[in-house]
Amino acid sequence: MPEATHAQVQRELFLRSFFSVSPPDELASLLTERMKDRLFQPGQVIYERGTLPGAMFFITHGVVELVAPGEAPWVLEDRSFIGAIDANAGQRHPRTARARTRVRAIEMHFEEYLMILEDFFDFAKSMLAQGAQRTWETSLRAAPDGVFGPSVEPTGEWLARGSLDEVQRLLVLRNSRPFERAPVQALVTLARQTREVRYHGGEVIFRAGDPNHGMMMVADGRLHVTHDAPPIDSWVGPGNFAQGVIELPGGPRRVTATAATDVVLLRIAHEDLFDAMEEHFGLARSWWVYQGRENSRARLAAARRSAREDEASPTDAVAVKT
């Protein structure tokens, strides 16, 4: 077997083991054709903090550390994925990626990856769900009040109004963290399909274990979100989903949400969200930016908590799986 063909087969085997859902044959072939193998020696920089991203890297063998001044390193091992979050967000790398051991990686240009993925939306959807699961697992290592991202303060604007019309629902979506980079036309489509629901302070909206029939965006008011083991005790305000990034389908509700004040929520059916994403792939990209930021925030919160709990060895690196 020619060496180039052998290398491509090796990449395809890795991709099939890396993803939670095996990619279709055509997709796997297109991806591996555009990938290249990279080898990094111990101490070699993969990318520098402050540089603009273009490529992403699958770590097939070895240990990589992501370092930033004043922060404990994030240590990533086999089957990790780096560079994509920054590339999708269009932001400079906040950390330097450096090989701690001899590292074998697969490199691919991020925009090429997305262009290919857009034609295989069912697989892209599974990737969104896989990312949500990983973010949830990382979030559980944060402090009980640090599982969910920041919210804006309620204004009472939507509480004081009657039922929200389509334009008002569009404004709520446009000002939310998951959809802040979404194309307007995609949000117009989604706003037509959302349903407004209201709860009084003290009412339970859903409990852990309840069926998950749709996503709940906070338009106004505040929710108190809890979970027994591991403990979660967080507040969620406007611009966020009641379950954060884990609102994507994948089993029953994982937390209990109670209205801390009177609240206005927008209910979005999962199938409506995915239909809008398939029609307007920019909506999926916006979600990936949100998901990536949540993943980074959760990793940082988990790392800081670990450092606080291990003061006897403050220079130890914190191992965080992406």
Side-chain angles (χ1 to χ4, degrees):
M1 178 181 293
E3 182 61 31
T5 304
H6 176 74
Q8 185 173 335
V9 169
Q10 292 296 106
R11 294 185 210 123
E12 184 168 332
L13 289 173
F14 172 78
L15 287 181
R16 292 188 182 280
S17 68
F18 180 85
F19 295 124
S20 59
V21 177
S22 184
D25 291 344
E26 184 182 359
L27 172 59
S29 178
L30 288 170
L31 290 175
T32 54
E33 284 173 3
R34 289 160 175 79
M35 291 175 167
K36 60 182 179 181
D37 298 314
R38 297 292 304 274
L39 177 63
F40 299 96
Q41 299 299 332
Q44 187 174 353
V45 169
I46 300 171
Y47 57 74
E48 287 274 8
R49 176 177 180 267
T51 58
L52 287 171
M56 60 184 191
F57 299 85
F58 297 89
I59 308 304
T60 61
H61 299 288
V63 180
V64 172
E65 59 181 7
L66 301 180
V67 297
E71 296 287 352
W74 296 347
V75 179
L76 311 176
E77 300 176 348
D78 297 0
R79 297 173 54 79
S80 294
F81 188 37
I82 60 173
I85 292 173
D86 303 329
N88 193 40
Q91 65 185 19
R92 295 180 183 274
H93 291 300
R95 288 173 174 254
T96 294
R98 183 167 55 221
R100 178 173 279 196
T101 66
R102 195 167 183 263
V103 170
R104 290 190 179 276
I106 299 172
E107 179 182 1
M108 184 173 184
H109 193 275
F110 185 73
E111 288 299 325
E112 280 192 313
Y113 173 73
L114 282 185
M115 287 175 62
I116 293 171
L117 211 58
E118 186 172 357
D119 293 328
F120 296 86
F121 186 73
D122 284 344
F123 182 75
K125 185 167 64 174
S126 73
M127 289 296 296
L128 288 168
Q130 178 178 337
Q133 176 64 27
R134 289 183 174 181
T135 300
W136 167 248
E137 292 168 356
T138 303
S139 296
L140 293 179
R141 296 196 292 272
D145 62 350
V147 172
F148 301 108
S151 301
V152 299
E153 285 298 315
T155 64
E157 176 184 3
W158 305 126
L159 278 168
R161 295 175 181 266
S163 296
L164 306 187
D165 61 27
E166 186 178 309
V167 173
Q168 291 165 338
R169 296 197 301 272
L170 171 63
L171 290 174
V172 171
L173 295 176
R174 186 64 177 168
N175 291 326
S176 70
R177 295 175 64 234
F179 301 133
E180 63 185 1
R181 291 172 176 250
V184 172
Q185 187 54 49
L187 296 183
V188 169
T189 300
L190 204 56
R192 292 175 184 149
Q193 298 161 328
T194 60
R195 296 294 177 265
E196 175 190 338
V197 290
R198 295 183 180 231
Y199 292 86
H200 295 297
E203 287 190 90
V204 175
I205 298 167
F206 53 76
R207 299 183 186 278
D210 286 351
N212 187 350
H213 295 306
M215 311 171 72
M216 305 285 274
M217 167 72 71
V218 182
D220 207 353
R222 296 180 78 198
L223 305 183
H224 185 208
V225 181
T226 59
H227 185 269
D228 290 337
I232 295 173
D233 190 355
S234 288
W235 303 93
V236 176
N240 278 322
F241 286 110
Q243 288 192 171
V245 73
I246 59 166
E247 282 273 28
L248 288 174
R253 302 285 187 187
R254 303 187 193 186
V255 297
T256 296
T258 304
T261 66
D262 289 354
V263 293
V264 180
L265 306 175
L266 297 184
R267 187 194 302 274
I268 306 172
H270 294 126
E271 58 269 24
D272 289 338
L273 174 66
F274 287 133
D275 286 348
M277 284 182 175
E278 187 170 15
E279 184 178 354
H280 307 279
F281 199 67
L283 184 60
R285 291 198 61 161
S286 179
W287 187 280
W288 261 311
V289 172
Y290 162 65
Q291 188 167 274
R293 287 176 175 172
E294 280 299 285
N295 187 273
S296 295
R297 182 198 58 76
R299 288 190 312 200
L300 183 59
R304 286 174 174 170
R305 182 185 188 187
S306 179
R308 289 195 301 268
E309 293 176 351
D310 193 17
E311 294 180 355
S313 54
T315 60
D316 286 352
V318 180
V320 182
K321 196 76 169 178
T322 57

